[in-house]
Amino acid sequence: MMQKIKLIALDLDGTALTPDNDVSPATMDAVRRAREAGIHVVVSTGRICGEASEFAVKLGADDLMVTAGGASLSRVSTGQCTMRMSMPWEDAVRAAAAVERIGLTVMVYVGETLLITPYDEMEFGKYKSNEGFLAVKRVVPSIAEYIADGHVSVDKIFARSNDPVILRMAREKIEQIPGVRVMSSATDNIEVVTPAADKGNALGMLCRQLGTDLAHAAAMGDSENDLEMLRAVALPIAMGNANDAVKAICKRETLTNAEDGVAAAIDRILAENE
């Protein structure tokens, strides 16, 4: 028999957020009931701290979060990282130069700051208008040069393209750089982090800070950057809209993010915990 669940980790995009990047009333209500029942509900996302905080507040989640795809732990209340796992500096410069040269739209996560170029600002601005994004961005002429000249410590590189050939080319190029790991959170992006950084490791650290462990944790996700987190917890739950690799390793599947899948999964956990 499975132990009682004491913590639930929620990915944001494709999971706790609806397809139009919002939090549904049903999800908010389920998170509230879970926390009233004494269960920690934490955000575990590829997003940077400032953006993640905005959604964590909407969800009514705990103060501690896994951010930047596991490269950092952050607090909602301060909007700051409490732990960072950065890439080796030279490897980060090489990866940033590769995505800039190939022509992807790029965001670079540096602690609580998002570095973007004027072109990237224009592109991301087409679909990112949330306050968290606007508050943390810093526009620089060239990201690779900025990192190189300032010896800047980089936690994550997020690169986006609607062209699968360009995306594959970039992934193959960056996978040859020794000090980085490449993953994806959707079919139109790649994410670059240090090999030690993943949502599973980071969630383990977060659990210890909250006085619990992964053996009492559930997690919900939908994409490649959720795999380590889902493998790490006692109860991995795939969203109905998750990719096949995620569904293959999960113990159960819930409804899609358009059908309040998170709320349905939380309800089942609450019933089983009684």
Side-chain angles (χ1 to χ4, degrees), residues 190-217:
I190 54 170
E191 302 183 346
V192 188
V193 293
T194 184
D198 67 55
K199 287 184 177 184
N201 284 337
L203 188 62
M205 294 180 209
L206 184 150
C207 282
R208 284 193 290 280
Q209 289 188 34
L210 292 176
T212 185
D213 55 33
L214 293 166
H216 293 85

Short mmCIF file of all heavy atoms in Angstrom, two decimals, residues 190-217:
data_model
loop_
_atom_site.label_atom_id
_atom_site.label_comp_id
_atom_site.label_asym_id
_atom_site.label_seq_id
_atom_site.Cartn_x
_atom_site.Cartn_y
_atom_site.Cartn_z
N ILE A 190 13.92 24.16 -27.00
CA ILE A 190 14.93 23.39 -26.28
C ILE A 190 15.34 24.19 -25.05
O ILE A 190 15.27 25.41 -25.04
CB ILE A 190 16.17 23.04 -27.13
CG1 ILE A 190 16.78 24.29 -27.76
CG2 ILE A 190 15.86 21.98 -28.17
CD1 ILE A 190 18.14 24.03 -28.41
N GLU A 191 15.74 23.47 -24.00
CA GLU A 191 16.20 24.08 -22.77
C GLU A 191 17.57 23.52 -22.43
O GLU A 191 17.79 22.31 -22.52
CB GLU A 191 15.22 23.78 -21.63
CG GLU A 191 13.80 24.27 -21.92
CD GLU A 191 12.84 24.05 -20.76
OE1 GLU A 191 13.18 23.30 -19.83
OE2 GLU A 191 11.75 24.64 -20.79
N VAL A 192 18.50 24.38 -22.08
CA VAL A 192 19.89 23.97 -21.80
C VAL A 192 20.21 24.29 -20.35
O VAL A 192 20.04 25.43 -19.91
CB VAL A 192 20.88 24.70 -22.74
CG1 VAL A 192 22.28 24.13 -22.59
CG2 VAL A 192 20.42 24.63 -24.20
N VAL A 193 20.67 23.27 -19.61
CA VAL A 193 21.03 23.44 -18.19
C VAL A 193 22.32 22.67 -17.91
O VAL A 193 22.81 21.94 -18.77
CB VAL A 193 19.91 22.94 -17.25
CG1 VAL A 193 18.67 23.80 -17.35
CG2 VAL A 193 19.58 21.47 -17.52
N THR A 194 22.85 22.82 -16.70
CA THR A 194 23.97 21.99 -16.28
C THR A 194 23.48 20.55 -16.08
O THR A 194 22.32 20.35 -15.68
CB THR A 194 24.62 22.54 -14.99
OG1 THR A 194 25.78 21.75 -14.69
CG2 THR A 194 23.69 22.50 -13.81
N PRO A 195 24.30 19.53 -16.35
CA PRO A 195 23.83 18.14 -16.25
C PRO A 195 23.27 17.77 -14.87
O PRO A 195 22.41 16.91 -14.76
CB PRO A 195 25.08 17.32 -16.57
CG PRO A 195 25.89 18.21 -17.45
CD PRO A 195 25.66 19.60 -16.93
N ALA A 196 23.74 18.42 -13.81
CA ALA A 196 23.28 18.10 -12.45
C ALA A 196 21.88 18.65 -12.17
O ALA A 196 21.23 18.24 -11.21
CB ALA A 196 24.26 18.65 -11.43
N ALA A 197 21.44 19.60 -13.00
CA ALA A 197 20.16 20.27 -12.72
C ALA A 197 19.01 19.53 -13.37
O ALA A 197 18.96 19.39 -14.58
CB ALA A 197 20.21 21.71 -13.23
N ASP A 198 18.09 19.04 -12.57
CA ASP A 198 16.83 18.53 -13.11
C ASP A 198 15.77 18.67 -12.02
O ASP A 198 16.08 18.87 -10.85
CB ASP A 198 16.95 17.08 -13.63
CG ASP A 198 17.21 16.05 -12.54
OD1 ASP A 198 16.43 15.98 -11.58
OD2 ASP A 198 18.20 15.30 -12.66
N LYS A 199 14.52 18.58 -12.42
CA LYS A 199 13.42 18.81 -11.48
C LYS A 199 13.38 17.76 -10.37
O LYS A 199 12.91 18.03 -9.27
CB LYS A 199 12.08 18.83 -12.22
CG LYS A 199 11.83 20.08 -13.06
CD LYS A 199 10.43 20.01 -13.66
CE LYS A 199 10.06 21.24 -14.44
NZ LYS A 199 8.67 21.19 -14.94
N GLY A 200 13.87 16.55 -10.64
CA GLY A 200 13.88 15.49 -9.63
C GLY A 200 14.84 15.80 -8.50
O GLY A 200 14.48 15.74 -7.31
N ASN A 201 16.10 16.14 -8.84
CA ASN A 201 17.11 16.50 -7.83
C ASN A 201 16.64 17.69 -7.01
O ASN A 201 16.73 17.71 -5.78
CB ASN A 201 18.44 16.86 -8.49
CG ASN A 201 19.20 15.63 -8.96
OD1 ASN A 201 18.99 14.53 -8.45
ND2 ASN A 201 20.07 15.81 -9.93
N ALA A 202 16.15 18.72 -7.72
CA ALA A 202 15.73 19.95 -7.04
C ALA A 202 14.55 19.69 -6.11
O ALA A 202 14.48 20.22 -5.00
CB ALA A 202 15.39 21.02 -8.07
N LEU A 203 13.61 18.85 -6.57
CA LEU A 203 12.44 18.55 -5.74
C LEU A 203 12.86 17.78 -4.48
O LEU A 203 12.30 18.00 -3.40
CB LEU A 203 11.40 17.75 -6.53
CG LEU A 203 10.06 17.53 -5.83
CD1 LEU A 203 9.36 18.86 -5.54
CD2 LEU A 203 9.14 16.64 -6.66
N GLY A 204 13.86 16.91 -4.60
CA GLY A 204 14.39 16.20 -3.43
C GLY A 204 14.93 17.17 -2.40
O GLY A 204 14.68 17.04 -1.19
N MET A 205 15.67 18.20 -2.87
CA MET A 205 16.20 19.24 -1.96
C MET A 205 15.06 20.01 -1.30
O MET A 205 15.08 20.30 -0.11
CB MET A 205 17.09 20.22 -2.73
CG MET A 205 18.36 19.65 -3.28
SD MET A 205 19.27 20.96 -4.17
CE MET A 205 20.14 19.98 -5.39
N LEU A 206 14.05 20.36 -2.12
CA LEU A 206 12.90 21.11 -1.61
C LEU A 206 12.16 20.31 -0.54
O LEU A 206 11.78 20.84 0.50
CB LEU A 206 11.98 21.48 -2.77
CG LEU A 206 10.77 22.36 -2.46
CD1 LEU A 206 10.41 23.22 -3.67
CD2 LEU A 206 9.55 21.51 -2.09
N CYS A 207 11.96 19.01 -0.80
CA CYS A 207 11.28 18.14 0.17
C CYS A 207 12.00 18.16 1.52
O CYS A 207 11.37 18.28 2.57
CB CYS A 207 11.21 16.70 -0.35
SG CYS A 207 9.94 16.43 -1.59
N ARG A 208 13.34 18.05 1.47
CA ARG A 208 14.11 18.04 2.72
C ARG A 208 13.91 19.34 3.49
O ARG A 208 13.80 19.34 4.71
CB ARG A 208 15.60 17.80 2.43
CG ARG A 208 15.91 16.34 2.09
CD ARG A 208 17.39 16.04 2.11
NE ARG A 208 18.11 16.65 1.01
CZ ARG A 208 18.15 16.17 -0.23
NH1 ARG A 208 17.49 15.05 -0.54
NH2 ARG A 208 18.86 16.77 -1.16
N GLN A 209 13.85 20.46 2.76
CA GLN A 209 13.64 21.76 3.42
C GLN A 209 12.27 21.83 4.08
O GLN A 209 12.08 22.54 5.07
CB GLN A 209 13.80 22.90 2.41
CG GLN A 209 15.24 23.12 1.98
CD GLN A 209 15.40 24.37 1.12
OE1 GLN A 209 14.73 25.36 1.31
NE2 GLN A 209 16.32 24.30 0.17
N LEU A 210 11.31 21.08 3.56
CA LEU A 210 9.95 21.09 4.12
C LEU A 210 9.72 19.94 5.11
O LEU A 210 8.61 19.74 5.59
CB LEU A 210 8.91 21.02 2.99
CG LEU A 210 8.83 22.26 2.08
CD1 LEU A 210 7.84 22.02 0.94
CD2 LEU A 210 8.43 23.50 2.87
N GLY A 211 10.76 19.17 5.37
CA GLY A 211 10.66 18.10 6.36
C GLY A 211 9.94 16.86 5.86
O GLY A 211 9.37 16.11 6.65
N THR A 212 9.95 16.65 4.56
CA THR A 212 9.36 15.42 4.01
C THR A 212 10.34 14.81 3.01
O THR A 212 11.52 15.16 2.99
CB THR A 212 7.97 15.71 3.38
OG1 THR A 212 7.40 14.46 2.97
CG2 THR A 212 8.04 16.66 2.21
N ASP A 213 9.88 13.84 2.20
CA ASP A 213 10.79 13.21 1.24
C ASP A 213 10.01 12.78 -0.01
O ASP A 213 8.78 12.85 -0.06
CB ASP A 213 11.51 12.01 1.86
CG ASP A 213 10.56 10.99 2.45
OD1 ASP A 213 9.46 10.82 1.90
OD2 ASP A 213 10.90 10.34 3.45
N LEU A 214 10.77 12.33 -1.01
CA LEU A 214 10.17 11.95 -2.30
C LEU A 214 9.29 10.71 -2.18
O LEU A 214 8.41 10.49 -3.01
CB LEU A 214 11.27 11.73 -3.34
CG LEU A 214 12.05 12.99 -3.74
CD1 LEU A 214 13.32 12.63 -4.51
CD2 LEU A 214 11.18 13.93 -4.58
N ALA A 215 9.50 9.91 -1.13
CA ALA A 215 8.67 8.71 -0.92
C ALA A 215 7.25 9.08 -0.51
O ALA A 215 6.35 8.24 -0.54
CB ALA A 215 9.30 7.82 0.15
N HIS A 216 7.04 10.34 -0.13
CA HIS A 216 5.70 10.82 0.23
C HIS A 216 5.22 11.90 -0.75
O HIS A 216 4.35 12.70 -0.42
CB HIS A 216 5.69 11.38 1.66
CG HIS A 216 5.94 10.35 2.71
ND1 HIS A 216 7.20 9.96 3.09
CD2 HIS A 216 5.07 9.61 3.45
CE1 HIS A 216 7.11 9.03 4.02
NE2 HIS A 216 5.83 8.79 4.27
N ALA A 217 5.81 11.91 -1.94
CA ALA A 217 5.51 12.98 -2.90
C ALA A 217 4.82 12.45 -4.15
O ALA A 217 5.07 11.33 -4.61
CB ALA A 217 6.79 13.70 -3.31
#
